[in-house]
Short mmCIF file of all heavy atoms in Angstrom, two decimals:
data_model
loop_
_atom_site.label_atom_id
_atom_site.label_comp_id
_atom_site.label_asym_id
_atom_site.label_seq_id
_atom_site.Cartn_x
_atom_site.Cartn_y
_atom_site.Cartn_z
N GLU A 21 -58.03 11.85 -43.92
CA GLU A 21 -59.15 12.75 -44.09
C GLU A 21 -58.61 14.21 -44.20
O GLU A 21 -57.86 14.63 -43.44
CB GLU A 21 -60.20 12.69 -43.04
CG GLU A 21 -60.86 11.42 -42.92
CD GLU A 21 -61.95 11.25 -43.88
OE1 GLU A 21 -62.46 12.30 -44.41
OE2 GLU A 21 -62.43 10.08 -44.16
N VAL A 22 -59.12 14.96 -45.24
CA VAL A 22 -58.66 16.35 -45.36
C VAL A 22 -59.81 17.37 -45.37
O VAL A 22 -59.48 18.54 -45.31
CB VAL A 22 -57.78 16.59 -46.63
CG1 VAL A 22 -56.50 15.70 -46.52
CG2 VAL A 22 -58.51 16.15 -47.90
N GLY A 23 -61.09 16.84 -45.53
CA GLY A 23 -62.06 17.73 -45.51
C GLY A 23 -62.20 18.52 -46.89
O GLY A 23 -61.80 17.97 -47.91
N ASP A 24 -62.60 19.77 -46.87
CA ASP A 24 -62.67 20.67 -48.09
C ASP A 24 -61.40 21.38 -48.20
O ASP A 24 -61.19 22.40 -47.59
CB ASP A 24 -63.83 21.54 -47.95
CG ASP A 24 -65.19 20.87 -48.04
OD1 ASP A 24 -65.29 19.85 -48.77
OD2 ASP A 24 -66.14 21.24 -47.35
N ALA A 25 -60.48 20.93 -49.13
CA ALA A 25 -59.21 21.54 -49.30
C ALA A 25 -59.38 22.58 -50.46
O ALA A 25 -60.35 22.62 -51.19
CB ALA A 25 -58.17 20.62 -49.67
N ASP A 26 -58.37 23.48 -50.59
CA ASP A 26 -58.32 24.53 -51.62
C ASP A 26 -58.22 23.82 -52.97
O ASP A 26 -58.67 24.36 -53.97
CB ASP A 26 -57.15 25.55 -51.48
CG ASP A 26 -57.42 26.29 -50.07
OD1 ASP A 26 -58.52 26.45 -49.75
OD2 ASP A 26 -56.42 26.80 -49.58
N LYS A 27 -57.53 22.72 -53.02
CA LYS A 27 -57.39 21.98 -54.39
C LYS A 27 -57.20 20.49 -53.99
O LYS A 27 -56.81 20.15 -52.90
CB LYS A 27 -56.22 22.50 -55.07
CG LYS A 27 -54.94 22.26 -54.45
CD LYS A 27 -53.65 22.89 -55.31
CE LYS A 27 -52.38 22.60 -54.62
NZ LYS A 27 -51.26 23.21 -55.49
N PRO A 28 -57.57 19.70 -54.81
CA PRO A 28 -57.63 18.18 -54.62
C PRO A 28 -56.16 17.59 -54.48
O PRO A 28 -55.27 18.32 -55.09
CB PRO A 28 -58.40 17.66 -55.75
CG PRO A 28 -58.41 18.56 -56.79
CD PRO A 28 -58.29 19.93 -56.14
N LYS A 29 -55.99 16.53 -53.81
CA LYS A 29 -54.74 15.87 -53.83
C LYS A 29 -54.52 15.15 -55.10
O LYS A 29 -53.35 14.92 -55.47
CB LYS A 29 -54.73 14.93 -52.63
CG LYS A 29 -54.57 15.54 -51.30
CD LYS A 29 -54.28 14.49 -50.25
CE LYS A 29 -54.08 15.15 -48.80
NZ LYS A 29 -53.77 14.14 -47.78
N LEU A 30 -55.59 14.61 -55.78
CA LEU A 30 -55.43 13.91 -56.96
C LEU A 30 -56.75 13.91 -57.69
O LEU A 30 -57.83 13.85 -57.00
CB LEU A 30 -54.95 12.43 -56.70
CG LEU A 30 -55.03 11.42 -57.81
CD1 LEU A 30 -53.75 11.67 -58.78
CD2 LEU A 30 -54.89 10.01 -57.42
N VAL A 31 -56.67 13.94 -58.94
CA VAL A 31 -57.98 13.81 -59.74
C VAL A 31 -57.77 12.60 -60.59
O VAL A 31 -56.82 12.50 -61.32
CB VAL A 31 -58.28 15.05 -60.64
CG1 VAL A 31 -59.45 14.80 -61.54
CG2 VAL A 31 -58.47 16.19 -59.69
N PHE A 32 -58.76 11.68 -60.56
CA PHE A 32 -58.66 10.35 -61.12
C PHE A 32 -59.71 10.31 -62.22
O PHE A 32 -60.92 10.40 -62.05
CB PHE A 32 -59.06 9.36 -60.02
CG PHE A 32 -58.70 7.90 -60.33
CD1 PHE A 32 -57.60 7.34 -59.90
CD2 PHE A 32 -59.50 7.16 -61.20
CE1 PHE A 32 -57.29 6.00 -60.06
CE2 PHE A 32 -59.20 5.88 -61.53
CZ PHE A 32 -58.11 5.30 -60.96
N PHE A 33 -59.15 10.19 -63.58
CA PHE A 33 -60.10 10.14 -64.63
C PHE A 33 -60.36 8.62 -65.07
O PHE A 33 -59.42 7.95 -65.37
CB PHE A 33 -59.58 10.92 -65.93
CG PHE A 33 -59.55 12.35 -65.71
CD1 PHE A 33 -58.48 13.09 -65.17
CD2 PHE A 33 -60.69 13.06 -66.02
CE1 PHE A 33 -58.57 14.49 -65.03
CE2 PHE A 33 -60.83 14.51 -65.97
CZ PHE A 33 -59.58 15.21 -65.41
N PHE A 34 -61.62 8.29 -65.00
CA PHE A 34 -61.99 6.83 -65.28
C PHE A 34 -62.57 6.75 -66.67
O PHE A 34 -63.73 6.85 -66.84
CB PHE A 34 -63.10 6.46 -64.29
CG PHE A 34 -62.86 5.09 -63.72
CD1 PHE A 34 -62.81 4.72 -62.34
CD2 PHE A 34 -62.98 4.11 -64.66
CE1 PHE A 34 -62.77 3.40 -62.01
CE2 PHE A 34 -62.86 2.73 -64.28
CZ PHE A 34 -62.77 2.46 -62.94
N ASP A 35 -61.76 6.57 -67.56
CA ASP A 35 -62.13 6.47 -69.05
C ASP A 35 -62.82 5.20 -69.36
O ASP A 35 -62.63 4.10 -68.65
CB ASP A 35 -60.94 6.67 -70.02
CG ASP A 35 -61.35 7.10 -71.34
OD1 ASP A 35 -62.50 7.33 -71.55
OD2 ASP A 35 -60.48 7.20 -72.24
N GLU A 36 -63.74 5.16 -70.36
CA GLU A 36 -64.49 3.97 -70.59
C GLU A 36 -65.13 3.33 -69.40
O GLU A 36 -65.15 2.19 -69.15
CB GLU A 36 -63.65 2.92 -71.30
CG GLU A 36 -63.05 3.35 -72.54
CD GLU A 36 -64.03 3.75 -73.71
OE1 GLU A 36 -65.12 3.23 -73.63
OE2 GLU A 36 -63.66 4.49 -74.54
N ALA A 37 -65.90 4.34 -68.69
CA ALA A 37 -66.42 3.94 -67.39
C ALA A 37 -67.53 2.83 -67.46
O ALA A 37 -67.79 2.14 -66.42
CB ALA A 37 -66.96 5.19 -66.61
N HIS A 38 -68.14 2.73 -68.69
CA HIS A 38 -69.23 1.74 -68.84
C HIS A 38 -68.63 0.37 -68.53
O HIS A 38 -69.43 -0.55 -68.06
CB HIS A 38 -69.81 1.92 -70.12
CG HIS A 38 -69.03 1.49 -71.25
ND1 HIS A 38 -67.98 2.51 -71.73
CD2 HIS A 38 -68.83 0.45 -71.92
CE1 HIS A 38 -67.40 1.87 -72.70
NE2 HIS A 38 -67.79 0.70 -72.93
N LEU A 39 -67.40 0.12 -68.78
CA LEU A 39 -66.84 -1.17 -68.58
C LEU A 39 -66.82 -1.59 -67.12
O LEU A 39 -66.86 -2.74 -66.78
CB LEU A 39 -65.30 -1.20 -69.10
CG LEU A 39 -65.17 -0.97 -70.61
CD1 LEU A 39 -63.77 -1.01 -71.01
CD2 LEU A 39 -66.00 -1.94 -71.41
N LEU A 40 -66.74 -0.60 -66.28
CA LEU A 40 -66.67 -0.80 -64.85
C LEU A 40 -67.98 -1.42 -64.31
O LEU A 40 -68.05 -2.27 -63.48
CB LEU A 40 -66.30 0.37 -64.00
CG LEU A 40 -66.27 0.30 -62.51
CD1 LEU A 40 -65.17 -0.68 -62.04
CD2 LEU A 40 -66.06 1.69 -61.92
N PHE A 41 -69.12 -0.84 -64.84
CA PHE A 41 -70.39 -1.14 -64.28
C PHE A 41 -71.12 -2.34 -65.17
O PHE A 41 -72.19 -2.83 -64.61
CB PHE A 41 -71.26 0.03 -64.33
CG PHE A 41 -70.60 1.24 -63.59
CD1 PHE A 41 -70.17 2.29 -64.34
CD2 PHE A 41 -70.65 1.25 -62.26
CE1 PHE A 41 -69.62 3.35 -63.67
CE2 PHE A 41 -70.07 2.28 -61.58
CZ PHE A 41 -69.54 3.40 -62.29
N LYS A 42 -70.55 -2.73 -66.20
CA LYS A 42 -71.20 -3.83 -66.92
C LYS A 42 -71.15 -5.10 -66.11
O LYS A 42 -70.15 -5.57 -65.69
CB LYS A 42 -70.54 -3.95 -68.32
CG LYS A 42 -71.16 -5.07 -69.22
CD LYS A 42 -70.41 -5.17 -70.51
CE LYS A 42 -71.02 -6.19 -71.35
NZ LYS A 42 -70.29 -6.31 -72.68
N ASP A 43 -72.31 -5.78 -66.04
CA ASP A 43 -72.47 -7.02 -65.34
C ASP A 43 -71.88 -7.05 -63.94
O ASP A 43 -71.49 -8.01 -63.36
CB ASP A 43 -71.66 -8.16 -66.15
CG ASP A 43 -72.28 -8.31 -67.50
OD1 ASP A 43 -73.44 -8.04 -67.71
OD2 ASP A 43 -71.50 -8.57 -68.43
N ALA A 44 -71.99 -5.92 -63.27
CA ALA A 44 -71.51 -5.82 -61.90
C ALA A 44 -72.50 -6.20 -60.88
O ALA A 44 -73.74 -6.14 -61.07
CB ALA A 44 -71.22 -4.31 -61.63
N SER A 45 -72.09 -7.05 -59.89
CA SER A 45 -72.95 -7.43 -58.78
C SER A 45 -73.41 -6.34 -57.90
O SER A 45 -72.94 -5.22 -58.01
CB SER A 45 -72.30 -8.56 -58.03
OG SER A 45 -71.19 -7.98 -57.30
#
């Protein structure tokens, strides 16, 4: 846990995000 930092440790770009949620339980 780091709380509110001055800058993020990592930024994760989730391209074609609709594929993740399609037919999800």
